[in-house]
Amino acid sequence: MTILCVRFQLPPMYEAALPELLGLLEEFTPVVEALPPDGALADLRGAERYFGRDAVELASVIRVRALALYGVDCVIGAGPGPMLARMALRDARPGLTRAVPEDQVRDFLADKPVVALPGVGTATARTLCEYGLDTLGRVAAAPLSTLQRLIGAKAGRELREKAGGVDRGRVVPNGISRSLAAERPFTRDELDPDRHRRALLSAAEELGARLRAVDKVCRTLTLTVRYADRSATHRSRTLTESTAHSAALTRAAYGMYEALGLQRARVRSLVLRAEGLAPADQASHQLTFDPVDEKVRRIEEVADRARAKFGPRAVMPGSLAA
């Protein structure tokens, strides 16, 4: 068991602390893959040799440090590969790591429904179940030709391998600096869409200012809406071009929010996350002859200088809206 899948139990008001928590994992291994909004994969092969402890023991240390330093508990799954660690996480509980030893992989998978396997959607699961292949154990025992006839050659081969416990995935480091988050909690559960939009505007302007301060642009924007019942909705949008322009981030945030079609939803907090960060000087920019756009960009430059000199409250939220 060398791979951990960690999900931090972040309170609704605390999601912006994720980069710091990911930094905690990087104290054990540099091979950390962020899984926003609240998780990560960590490859502990080198850490096991260095610290002389196995992955489950290191998971206990990680949990204690997260609680001691940040007051945040976590649930952890451990397995020989990323796929198995993710699946183990579903059976994990706070305070207890769910580990899947390599010699128990087939037993762990055998009775699970096919839809539990990452990458298997409802349509594929329905097709397999129609032919009695409703568990991963039955899929692993089925002839390869049967699976390929049902769902295709490549998909059938990959499904049979995964159902048999073959995990060819790997942890791809994507540094905590590749994302920034801005959270807007409400003092009470908020139903007013206008207040939701004002919170999104404020968060987008904060993200834009922070990106410009470190000379970065983002390629993807993610919106997380947390509700009164502690459930959440996540939406992501790839931008037409990488940007740190607050107006562009605001438009994307509004677009995702409107697409949710919330009706009298009691919202507890809104989180915007800028992902896929890259140096601003390496990003392409579509030239425009729109004088309004150029004017807003110049105003942003002035506002950034004001913030740098007088602090983040020097510019009121919404004053830069296009």
Side-chain angles (χ1 to χ4, degrees):
M1 295 169 294
T2 58
I3 308 297
L4 296 185
C5 186
V6 183
R7 176 166 295 143
F8 297 103
Q9 303 293 286
L10 291 173
M13 317 301 186
Y14 204 50
E15 186 177 320
L18 180 61
E20 296 178 65
L21 292 165
L22 297 179
L24 185 154
L25 294 178
E26 290 186 331
E27 295 177 8
F28 293 86
T29 172
V31 189
V32 175
E33 180 179 347
L35 302 175
D38 57 5
L41 289 168
D43 189 333
L44 297 184
R45 281 176 291 187
E48 287 178 318
R49 294 191 295 269
Y50 182 82
F51 292 104
R53 299 185 179 186
D54 63 27
V56 175
E57 293 173 318
L58 291 174
S60 298
V61 177
I62 290 169
R63 179 180 290 108
V64 169
R65 288 195 182 182
L67 280 167
L69 297 175
Y70 303 99
V72 175
D73 200 355
C74 54
V75 291
I76 303 176
M83 179 193 76
L84 292 163
R86 286 174 184 254
M87 296 183 70
L89 179 70
R90 298 174 187 172
D91 296 339
R93 297 291 181 271
L96 179 66
T97 299
R98 177 62 169 101
V100 182
E102 195 162 0
D103 59 354
Q104 297 178 22
V105 169
R106 284 184 171 272
D107 292 337
F108 169 74
L109 295 174
D111 295 329
K112 291 191 176 298
V114 290
V115 75
L117 197 67
V120 176
T122 54
T124 300
R126 188 183 307 114
T127 299
L128 294 169
C129 289
E130 287 174 354
Y131 288 85
L133 302 174
D134 56 345
T135 67
L136 294 179
R138 290 175 177 173
V139 171
L144 176 59
S145 58
T146 298
L147 296 176
Q148 290 179 323
R149 188 164 56 251
L150 292 176
I151 62 174
K154 182 179 179 181
R157 182 173 60 254
E158 291 179 352
L159 175 63
R160 192 168 186 269
E161 285 185 349
K162 290 179 179 179
V166 178
D167 189 350
R168 300 187 187 279
R170 61 189 183 93
V171 180
V172 181
N174 59 353
I176 57 174
S177 63
R178 292 181 62 82
S179 71
L180 291 174
E183 182 163 5
R184 292 297 181 268
F186 296 105
T187 54
R188 61 183 182 183
D189 298 333
E190 186 57 67
L191 289 83
D192 188 352
D194 288 337
R195 291 183 180 272
H196 298 165
R197 290 172 65 87
R198 285 199 290 272
L200 288 175
L201 172 61
S202 172
E205 290 191 350
E206 178 190 327
L207 279 183
R210 290 169 62 189
L211 287 167
R212 295 190 296 273
V214 294
D215 293 322
K216 299 281 189 180
V217 292
C218 75
R219 183 60 174 163
T220 303
L221 195 65
T222 297
L223 168 64
T224 300
V225 182
R226 294 193 179 277
Y227 306 102
D229 62 359
R230 297 184 180 275
S231 64
T233 301
H234 309 288
R235 291 292 184 271
S236 292
R237 177 167 294 184
T238 300
L239 306 175
T240 53
E241 65 177 29
S242 298
T243 186
H245 186 24
S246 294
L249 297 176
T250 301
R251 287 193 294 270
Y254 282 173
M256 288 186 288
Y257 173 79
E258 297 297 341
L260 289 175
L262 300 181
Q263 306 247 345
R264 302 287 295 170
R266 297 168 58 201
V267 176
R268 183 157 295 178
S269 69
L270 295 164
V271 183
L272 277 183
R273 183 179 301 278
E275 300 174 331
L277 305 192
D281 58 5
Q282 297 180 13
S284 60
H285 172 57
Q286 180 67 43
L287 294 177
T288 176
F289 296 101
D290 183 358
V292 174
D293 183 70
E294 293 303 322
K295 180 180 179 181
V296 170
R297 290 177 186 269
R298 288 197 296 272
I299 293 174
E300 279 184 344
E301 294 176 2
V302 175
D304 291 341
R305 289 197 293 271
R307 288 190 186 95
K309 185 174 183 178
F310 300 108
R313 296 185 182 275
V315 180
M316 294 299 292
S319 61
L320 304 181

